[in-house]
Amino acid sequence: AEMASDPTPPVDGAEPFHVPEGATSVEVGKEFAALKVVPKEDEKGDKNFPPHLHAAVELFCFVKRPECAKRLVDRVSGYLRVLREGPDGKGTNGMGQAAVCWSCGHVGLPKNTDGISKGELARCGGCGSDDQTNMVKVTQPDGTVIPWIELKTKDGDKR
């Protein structure tokens, strides 16, 4: 059954993810903890800083922003699916280091990937804001870093 309240269709092949009204929990796989949030200099040592995207989902739920938690879960679930199935070689949008946006919950390649190497703050690939973003580092259990891979969507995945 389609839900009219969610205007964005799921990525091809994705299971639609619906948070029931008033839900206080979201199913988040343990893989989310492998996606580490990289603190900025002034955030290092902050006990409240979410160390990985599993904690980020919990934080969004805690501060009553389920729409951000849902967006984050949708984005990460799509990424994990690409890792499981492997990129098809024609649909990938890009690879690199992702950023998480605390303003909207988007996780993905920043709009200014070139600028980040020059010290710019990541600009969210979703809402375009750069005032509340952190880079995300995806590490395997052996410490190997895996790039973020995004698939192209018909509408550019913008809301």
Side-chain angles (χ1 to χ4, degrees):
E2 287 298 305
M3 277 181 63
S5 64
D6 187 4
T8 20
V11 180
D12 289 343
E15 298 84 28
F17 173 77
H18 300 300
V19 179
E21 282 302 309
T24 54
S25 67
V26 172
E27 197 60 45
V28 179
K30 61 183 183 314
E31 314 91 75
F32 278 58
L35 284 80
K36 307 290 185 215
V37 180
V38 181
K40 297 185 183 98
E41 277 308 312
D42 61 346
E43 295 166 335
K44 288 184 175 146
D46 180 345
K47 289 190 296 298
N48 297 320
F49 186 82
H52 45 66
L53 293 185
H54 195 291
V57 173
E58 291 172 344
L59 177 69
F60 280 132
C61 292
F62 183 72
V63 297
K64 310 258 186 289
R65 299 197 49 208
E67 71 292 346
C68 295
K70 178 191 181 315
R71 186 171 300 131
L72 191 150
V73 169
D74 286 348
R75 297 287 304 166
V76 173
S77 298
Y79 168 68
L80 294 171
R81 195 169 32 262
V82 171
L83 288 186
R84 261 196 319 275
E85 298 168 4
D88 61 11
K90 57 183 187 284
T92 39
N93 192 0
M95 280 174 43
Q97 190 174 10
V100 58
C101 177
W102 302 108
S103 299
C104 75
H106 182 88
V107 182
L109 298 175
K111 290 187 171 172
N112 60 333
T113 43
D114 298 342
I116 290 167
S117 57
K118 302 182 189 85
E120 289 176 23
L121 295 173
R123 228 175 40 242
C124 175
C127 69
S129 165
D130 68 357
D131 54 337
Q132 290 190 24
T133 56
N134 284 91
M135 298 309 286
V136 173
K137 194 162 105 185
V138 186
T139 49
Q140 291 184 293
D142 67 2
T144 322
V145 175
I146 314 168
W148 181 270
I149 303 167
E150 278 182 11
L151 298 178
K152 284 192 178 106
T153 54
K154 291 174 211 53
D155 60 357
D157 205 30
K158 301 290 175 278
R159 296 200 164 234

